[in-house]
Amino acid sequence: MSKTLDTDDRPQSPRSVGWTKPQTIRLADAANPLPLEIGGSIHPVDVEYETYGTLSPARDNVVLICHALSGDAHVAGWDADAEAMGRTWRTRKPGWWDAIVGPGKALDTRRYFVVCSNVLGSCYGTTGPSSPNPATGAPYGLEFPMVTVTDWVQLQARLLDALGIGEVHAVVGGSLGGQQVIEWALAFPGRARKCIVLAASARLSAQGLGFNAVARHAVMHDADFRDVAYYGQRPPQEGLAAARMLAHITYLSGKGMDIKFGRRRQDGALPRSGFDIEFQVESYLDHQGRSFVERFDANSYLYITRAMDYYDAAARWGDGDLVRACARIRAQVVVVSFSSDWLYPPDQCREFAMALMRNRIPVSYLNVHSDYGHDAFLVETEIVERLLAGFLTTAPPDTAATRCARQGGCARC
Amino acid sequence: MLKHLHRTEESVSPEVLRRLAAPDPDANLQSLAELDESDLPAAGGNPGEISHHWQDPIIEDLVPDGGSVLDLGCGDGKLLSRLMDAKHVCAQGVELDQEAVLCCIGRGVPVFHGDLDDGLRGFPDRSIDVVILEETLQTLRRPIRVLDEMLRVGHRSVVSFPNFAHWRVRKAFGAGGRMPVTPALPNLWHNTPNIHLCSIRDFVDWAVSAEVHILHAYVLADGLARVLREGDNLTATEALFVLERR
């Protein structure tokens, strides 16, 4: 369910960050390759990122946003380079979280310096399967190494290093972006003061793994899928469209779909006319599938869904025990789930919050009542706004534990 | 008026607790119909609203500086916020209402949005200095299970509730023949969140039978907060107990 545009949602609006320009930075080269979680390393790595607002002289107003599966670094505003870079879809709408990021919005760019970078393996300016493999000069395709949420977070830390930023005020993200936030809290306990995890859990459920398996099957069994060979030719569009259609069902809820589409037919559709698009829900999914293939690389879809599958905070940081893993967290954490989300269901999001409580680490958890399913983290703007505005501005509690954390932690805390 | 209560070592007399647990009646029910406001000391404050603030200084006094506090049914987080400021506690709230949870987050109080009936299982034994259940006991589906969990998780537990044996309640039901509606219990039978009401005697009975030690007991009676006395089962509108299981 895409968010509806505000009437003042234009580059000229005082609440918009206005025209934006993507930036690219080389963060790994032959002399300084990026080590990967699965072993080995990769170089060169270029990262596309955007920033909004102004870095304070004390460099203490940074909010890092982590994007989800199909997201990009273009969080807010209107991409001034959209035409030039062939990203025509960006000419029609602002960045993916424009409702939240901008002057006077919940992530107020008059106050915060907001940073977002495109993840490794994606197709929006950061090195990925469609980038040239330095060994061959041709696109990587499936020669691209398996990358993980951990690698993404390490690369984000490199970006902050390069920008001269040490501690960040907050890291925030939803869905797969929320899993990056969890990894931030675990991998850099002293570096992120506040972590906001929206609609995400510490590991994907069997059901989530199943959804991704179907999506990849659709891509990899498309007649046009020939690994690397499709670059420059016809990409596996039907498979990728089917994957996206399925994904959109997982982003909605049964009730939400009933409310939005019901069994209503398209205007002018003849009832029971055969296999053409007839129901509104078919038309919606068809549109989502078609528009996605215009803007996304099938190989990136394979790599990113696999990273989503592989992420397991308990395995990485606690030998399979999430409570043990979470003992190292020092940030103030808030976890938000949405009642009808079946991709990252509330009980799985809650598990992460519970793991902090079991360590006696204060944590906030909110389960928002919503019919919008997983999409709610983008759609329930009003509640997310209130939560962010409140959580970001409160001072950290002045407890013995937080005092210790500031000094690097101690045995007791 | 609450100054004397800052000395929490002022304890309820064991004799008072023994008599409260005894089967003697508090009052002759036949005389209840004749009771009215002029026969008993007036309840303080506006009868239309009951403030729970009388409990806060008692709780604040009980909480060790820099200690850990878990507030079950923490509402909008005002108490925890005050304890965080005044006592630098490591605070955690649990609250069922979404609006209240957003209020807590807005004032910097860590809060877990969930049902108390199963919200405590995450905490290890004896992991919290003080666990608070303020005016929430009577709304729980399984109050004893929650009390047992509090006693397991906390070194000390604070439980407060409206006294269902207050004379106004008895009059409304005994003489009026209707489910009581009083300043402390303002809801009608069909819209009340209070599903497990009890009296001070009931609560003491439970503590004795469950081998729970009552460290302190306070009441709000006649608009004044003080240590529990004999006869308070009739005159107290609210009660607060400090418990531990040894």
Side-chain angles (χ1 to χ4, degrees):
Chain A
M1 227 163 280
S2 55
K3 71 189 163 64
T4 50
L5 296 183
D6 296 331
T7 46
D8 69 341
D9 217 355
R10 295 285 172 267
Q12 298 77 19
S13 158
R15 282 166 59 83
S16 171
V17 299
W19 294 106
T20 62
K21 271 187 173 298
Q23 301 173 75
T24 305
I25 185 170
R26 177 151 296 185
L27 292 175
D29 55 23
N32 184 24
L34 181 75
L36 296 172
E37 189 189 5
I38 55 148
S41 63
I42 182 173
H43 74 85
V45 175
D46 293 326
V47 169
E48 179 168 312
Y49 68 100
E50 293 194 14
T51 68
Y52 320 100
T54 309
L55 184 60
S56 65
R59 296 170 183 261
D60 60 355
N61 66 333
V62 177
V63 175
L64 177 70
I65 295 179
C66 303
H67 71 72
L69 203 175
S70 60
D72 53 26
H74 184 50
V75 176
W78 297 77
D79 184 355
D81 295 347
E83 294 279 4
M85 299 192 56
R87 295 163 170 173
T88 49
W89 62 91
R90 287 192 184 171
T91 60
R92 298 189 289 269
K93 55 184 183 183
W96 59 269
W97 222 14
D98 194 79
I100 294 293
V101 179
K105 294 181 182 173
L107 278 174
D108 191 341
T109 49
R110 294 171 306 192
R111 177 173 186 158
Y112 300 114
F113 182 62
V114 177
V115 181
C116 182
S117 60
N118 185 219
V119 298
L120 186 63
S122 184
C123 50
Y124 292 123
T126 294
T127 302
S130 58
S131 307
N133 181 346
T136 63
Y140 277 104
L142 296 188
E143 294 299 312
F144 194 74
M146 203 57 76
V147 292
T148 65
V149 169
T150 297
D151 299 329
W152 297 343
V153 166
Q154 294 295 329
L155 191 56
Q156 285 157 1
R158 273 197 186 202
L159 173 63
L160 297 177
D161 291 343
L163 297 176
I165 294 162
E167 258 185 60
V168 294
H169 179 67
V171 185
V172 53
S175 191
L176 185 54
Q179 293 197 299
Q180 293 165 59
V181 179
I182 291 174
E183 178 64 12
W184 258 97
L186 290 161
F188 299 105
R191 200 162 178 183
R193 286 191 288 272
K194 293 172 188 255
C195 289
I196 300 142
V197 181
L198 305 174
S201 61
R203 51 196 157 193
L204 200 59
S205 65
Q207 181 174 272
L209 295 172
F211 290 144
N212 283 345
V214 175
R216 282 191 301 270
H217 184 98
V219 170
M220 298 180 85
H221 291 80
D222 183 303
D224 291 317
F225 182 76
R226 295 175 300 272
D227 176 15
V228 67
Y230 72 74
Y231 292 113
Q233 299 180 40
R234 191 184 144 79
Q237 289 188 337
E238 297 308 324
L240 185 59
R244 187 61 171 173
M245 289 166 80
L246 171 70
H248 268 275
I249 297 171
T250 71
Y251 301 158
L252 303 173
S253 73
K255 189 173 175 192
M257 289 179 90
D258 277 341
I259 294 167
K260 193 177 165 91
F261 310 110
R263 292 182 52 82
R264 287 186 292 281
R265 287 182 163 81
Q266 283 294 94
D267 290 342
L270 291 172
R272 306 190 186 197
S273 59
F275 297 113
D276 284 342
I277 287 168
E278 187 171 326
F279 292 101
Q280 285 185 7
V281 64
E282 287 180 280
S283 168
Y284 169 82
L285 293 173
D286 180 70
H287 169 76
Q288 294 296 345
R290 279 176 199 282
S291 55
F292 191 61
V293 298
E294 267 179 47
R295 69 173 181 93
F296 214 82
D297 175 40
N299 279 330
S300 285
Y301 204 80
L302 300 181
Y303 277 91
I304 296 174
T305 55
R306 209 45 164 165
M308 185 174 168
D309 291 352
Y310 285 159
Y311 188 62
D312 184 342
R316 172 148 177 80
W317 296 102
D319 288 330
D321 181 344
L322 187 61
V323 176
R324 215 170 112 192
C326 290
R328 58 191 287 113
I329 290 177
R330 296 288 172 275
Q332 284 177 269
V333 176
V334 61
V335 180
V336 183
S337 64
F338 298 87
S339 60
S340 56
D341 185 349
W342 58 308
L343 187 55
Y344 290 101
D347 59 335
Q348 287 163 34
C349 302
R350 190 183 295 130
E351 192 192 13
F352 176 59
M354 291 287 278
L356 271 89
M357 292 211 299
R358 280 177 210 208
N359 283 294
R360 288 188 293 164
I361 299 168
V363 59
S364 286
Y365 166 70
L366 172 65
N367 181 34
V368 177
H369 182 82
S370 172
D371 288 331
Y372 288 114
H374 185 62
D375 259 355
F377 90 88
L378 292 169
V379 181
E380 295 284 4
T381 312
E382 194 198 321
I383 286 183
V384 170
E385 242 171 342
R386 280 177 62 194
L387 176 108
L388 284 174
F391 187 71
L392 288 175
T393 50
T394 53
D398 181 23
T399 63
T402 55
R403 278 198 297 272
C404 277
R406 279 185 220 131
Q407 291 155 14
C410 73
R412 182 180 165 264
C413 308
Chain B
M1 98 183 175
L2 291 169
K3 259 187 180 158
H4 66 287
L5 282 171
H6 281 259
R7 289 176 285 114
T8 33
E9 65 274 18
E10 186 181 346
S11 290
V12 59
S13 134
E15 182 62 13
V16 168
L17 293 176
R18 194 192 61 74
R19 285 202 206 124
L20 276 166
D24 324 323
D26 292 315
N28 182 346
L29 271 182
Q30 285 176 338
S31 66
L32 273 174
E34 281 94 57
L35 279 176
D36 68 28
E37 307 286 334
S38 60
D39 294 319
L40 283 153
N46 177 356
E49 57 178 77
I50 283 284
S51 162
H52 302 142
H53 293 324
W54 70 276
Q55 306 174 5
D56 295 351
I58 300 173
I59 294 169
E60 189 172 323
D61 203 33
L62 195 75
V63 169
D65 198 71
S68 52
V69 178
L70 175 63
D71 187 357
L72 304 174
C74 64
D76 61 10
K78 277 199 189 100
L79 173 64
L80 281 179
S81 179
R82 189 160 40 241
L83 292 174
M84 287 164 77
D85 289 342
K87 304 297 276 280
H88 313 290
V89 297
C90 182
Q92 177 72 56
V94 179
E95 174 57 46
L96 192 56
D97 180 68
Q98 179 170 307
E99 270 309 302
V101 167
L102 282 165
C103 282
C104 288
I105 293 170
R107 52 165 53 106
V109 171
V111 60
F112 183 86
H113 187 195
D115 195 331
L116 292 191
D117 279 319
D118 60 6
L120 275 157
R121 67 198 150 87
F123 291 92
D125 292 0
R126 305 252 154 192
S127 57
I128 305 286
D129 291 319
V130 179
V131 184
I132 301 166
L133 186 70
E134 200 177 30
E135 301 290 326
T136 302
L137 179 72
Q138 72 280 0
T139 67
L140 300 177
R141 267 189 303 125
R142 284 172 287 215
I144 298 302
R145 203 171 86 168
V146 172
L147 287 171
D148 280 336
E149 279 290 275
M150 290 175 72
L151 291 160
R152 175 183 70 78
V153 163
H155 290 282
R156 287 185 175 183
S157 297
V158 177
V159 180
S160 67
F161 54 88
N163 174 27
F164 202 63
H166 183 257
W167 67 267
R168 274 207 189 87
V169 176
R170 300 188 197 206
K171 187 185 171 192
F173 191 73
R178 288 191 173 84
M179 284 302 283
V181 176
T182 70
L185 298 163
N187 301 97
L188 296 170
W189 64 272
H190 52 82
N191 65 5
T192 180
N194 302 325
I195 54 174
H196 282 128
L197 287 151
C198 71
S199 69
I200 290 174
R201 284 189 158 211
D202 290 325
F203 192 81
V204 172
D205 284 349
W206 165 77
V208 169
S209 67
E211 295 180 353
V212 171
H213 188 68
I214 296 173
L215 291 169
H216 308 284
Y218 304 96
V219 294
L220 183 69
D222 313 333
L224 287 175
R226 56 169 171 72
V227 170
L228 174 72
R229 291 183 204 146
E230 203 177 346
D232 280 346
N233 200 37
L234 185 65
T235 52
T237 51
E238 294 182 46
L240 180 151
F241 287 84
V242 182
L243 311 169
E244 70 178 19
R245 182 169 268 158
R246 285 172 177 162

